Amino acid sequence: DTGVSQDPRHKITKRGQNVTFRCDPISEHNRLYWYRQTLGQGPEFLTYFQNEAQLEKSRLLSDRFSAERPKGSFSTLEIQRTEQGDSAMYLCASSFTGGRGGNTIYFGEGSWLTVV
Amino acid sequence: AQTVTQSQPEMSVQEAETVTLSCTYDTSESDYYLFWYKQPPSRQMILVIRQEAYKQQNATENRFSVNFQKAAKSFSLKISDSQLGDAAMYFCAYRSSGGATNKLIFGTGTLLAVQP
């Protein structure tokens, strides 16, 4: 088990372009989360999935943002028509409901986005 | 809505000494979880310790312990015998125990420096 994996780790894009991030959760984890973190701030919740169902979305997730988890395994986060304000680190996390550990959430190393 | 406040943006401790990081939170719920996460310069968020609100006993994990004061809504982290590897950003986080939401609500973090 290699933990939560995110790709790419760094992305520089021009304003107006679309970007997509991928997250591979810890195997067997049925919940997957996306957070956004800007410098000097704590992570802010964006959305989460239980299996393939997207169960909660933050108001931070504008119409330009879309997340999917088509088979209940990996997830993608797409940002369309990027803006400079989208520059941040996008963190993926996963957890398993049930068993010991009580839904502890494990994070990936994040994907840094810079919009120029 | 729940909020988490970390009033110490930066802290410093000498190697082998003890340091306490403060966290307060606001909630109307009676059952919830509290966490301390560590984010080293490599940026991967690592769980340090967790506390279930229904447990009166303070959680302990090796050199890390918490002082959980439910009535005061306070959740401080004590690091004993500080090591150079403890240098990181520390985030306090809250999560509801039940209901539909599964998101972690983070504070703004405390940057801990460990002096040799």
Side-chain angles (χ1 to χ4, degrees):
Chain A
D1 189 352
T2 56
V4 179
S5 177
Q6 293 188 243
D7 182 71
R9 294 291 316 283
H10 302 272
K11 179 72 176 179
I12 300 173
T13 190
K14 292 184 178 179
R15 188 175 54 187
Q17 297 294 306
N18 299 343
V19 296
T20 299
F21 299 112
R22 176 183 169 118
C23 172
D24 288 89
I26 294 172
S27 59
E28 300 160 5
H29 279 194
N30 55 349
R31 285 185 176 161
L32 186 147
Y33 310 78
W34 286 100
Y35 286 80
R36 181 171 68 188
Q37 185 178 19
T38 53
L39 284 174
Q41 298 296 317
E44 296 173 296
F45 171 80
L46 293 178
T47 188
Y48 98 93
F49 293 83
Q50 178 147 328
N51 300 313
E52 64 274 10
Q54 188 173 19
L55 297 186
E56 186 173 353
K57 292 168 63 174
S58 164
R59 280 173 286 182
L60 291 175
L61 212 64
S62 76
D63 291 345
R64 297 185 297 106
F65 288 70
S66 62
E68 295 183 344
R69 195 183 183 196
K71 297 182 179 180
S73 56
F74 74 92
S75 175
T76 57
L77 176 68
E78 181 183 19
I79 309 173
Q80 296 181 325
R81 305 181 302 283
T82 52
E83 302 172 357
Q84 288 189 323
D86 297 332
S87 295
M89 182 164 67
Y90 291 86
L91 287 165
C92 179
S94 69
S95 68
F96 174 68
T97 53
R100 302 188 68 181
N103 197 18
T104 296
I105 296 174
Y106 297 89
F107 284 83
E109 294 187 8
S111 292
W112 270 109
L113 173 65
T114 301
V115 182
V116 297
Chain B
Q2 296 85 16
T3 58
V4 176
T5 301
Q6 293 180 251
S7 59
Q8 305 157 317
E10 297 182 16
M11 291 284 284
S12 182
V13 64
Q14 291 292 127
E15 200 174 1
E17 297 295 308
T18 296
V19 65
T20 299
L21 308 184
S22 301
C23 172
T24 58
Y25 58 94
D26 189 27
T27 183
S28 59
E29 299 174 333
S30 59
D31 199 13
Y32 47 87
Y33 296 96
L34 294 166
F35 304 85
W36 279 98
Y37 278 88
K38 170 185 177 182
Q39 192 175 39
S42 68
R43 307 295 286 188
Q44 183 171 24
M45 198 87 67
I46 303 166
L47 178 65
V48 175
I49 198 165
R50 60 179 274 156
Q51 174 81 42
E52 290 89 343
Y54 67 86
K55 290 186 177 179
Q56 292 186 337
Q57 186 173 7
N58 289 323
T60 300
E61 288 286 342
N62 301 315
R63 298 182 296 107
F64 299 87
S65 62
V66 298
N67 183 3
F68 174 48
Q69 302 290 327
K70 191 173 184 178
K73 296 179 181 175
S74 171
F75 182 60
S76 61
L77 174 70
K78 185 171 82 171
I79 306 174
S80 303
D81 185 26
S82 297
Q83 300 175 0
L84 294 177
D86 295 334
M89 182 72 86
Y90 286 81
F91 291 99
C92 178
Y94 172 103
R95 180 169 68 81
S96 296
S97 174
T101 186
N102 266 273
K103 61 187 177 186
L104 285 168
I105 299 169
F106 286 88
T108 52
T110 296
L111 181 62
L112 177 66
V114 180
Q115 307 298 331

